[in-house]
């Protein structure tokens, strides 16, 4: 269970970083000036890391608990985004916030569904092998 707590903490830290880097723009202030377009590195990071956390959790803990990193990511994103530090609203009220939520949650949900489905297939295969063994023994 300690590894699950570490994965949940990792998900929370990643959500915090992704949320705070979401407003980055290529406007010449922090990053080079390239047409003042949004720099969505946090969206790419969310799309890559949340499914990895879920699949890694599924290999280390019971499959039903593999939802914990995804839930930690979502809760952190919403709590910090809607009621951020000092009462500030950090989650931008534009399309970038929606893209971050979808890019982080959707691939992780698909990965979670894949790990849960693979567990069901293994259980069914083991159940049919047990039933076949009892038929042969009887």
């Amino acid at each position: 269970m300690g590894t699950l707590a570490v994965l949940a903490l990792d998900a929370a830290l990643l959500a915090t970083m992704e949320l705070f880097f979401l407003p980055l723009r290529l406007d010449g202030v922090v990053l080079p000036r390239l047409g003042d377009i949004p720099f969505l590195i946090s969206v790419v990071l969310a799309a890559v890391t949340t499914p990895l956390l879920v699949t890694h959790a599924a290999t280390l803990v019971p499959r039903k608990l593999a939802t914990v990193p995804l839930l930690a990511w979502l809760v952190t994103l919403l709590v910090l985004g809607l009621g951020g530090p000092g009462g500030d609203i950090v989650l931008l009220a534009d399309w970038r916030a929606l893209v971050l939520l979808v890019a982080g949650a959707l691939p992780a949900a698909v990965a979670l569904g894949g790990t849960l489905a693979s567990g069901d297939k293994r259980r069914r295969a083991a159940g049919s092998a047990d039933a076949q063994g009892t038929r042969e023994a009887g």
Side-chain angles (χ1 to χ4, degrees):
M1 288 299 166
T3 56
L4 186 62
V6 170
L7 289 173
L9 178 66
D10 189 23
L13 291 173
L14 281 167
T16 303
M17 188 187 74
E18 292 158 1
L19 187 62
F20 289 155
F21 282 112
L22 188 61
L24 276 180
R25 302 181 69 83
L26 295 169
D27 59 357
V29 176
V30 176
L31 298 174
R33 183 169 189 82
L34 292 173
D36 198 28
I37 58 173
F39 186 63
L40 299 177
I41 190 66
S42 59
V43 172
V44 174
L45 186 64
V48 171
T49 58
T50 52
L52 286 176
L53 288 171
V54 168
T55 54
H56 194 64
T59 61
L60 296 175
V61 296
R63 295 196 188 284
K64 301 264 187 220
L65 293 177
T67 60
V68 171
L70 176 58
L71 292 176
W73 184 84
L74 281 171
V75 167
T76 304
L77 198 70
L78 293 176
V79 166
L80 286 180
L82 299 177
D88 294 334
I89 296 176
V90 182
L91 195 60
L92 301 173
D94 68 355
W95 60 273
R96 291 177 285 180
L98 181 62
V99 170
L100 177 64
L101 283 170
V102 170
L106 187 64
V110 169
L112 180 63
T115 59
L116 292 176
S118 69
D120 287 341
K121 286 179 188 174
R122 287 184 196 145
R123 224 177 288 126
R124 276 190 236 131
S128 66
D130 288 342
Q132 204 171 36
T134 56
R135 272 189 244 138
E136 290 174 3

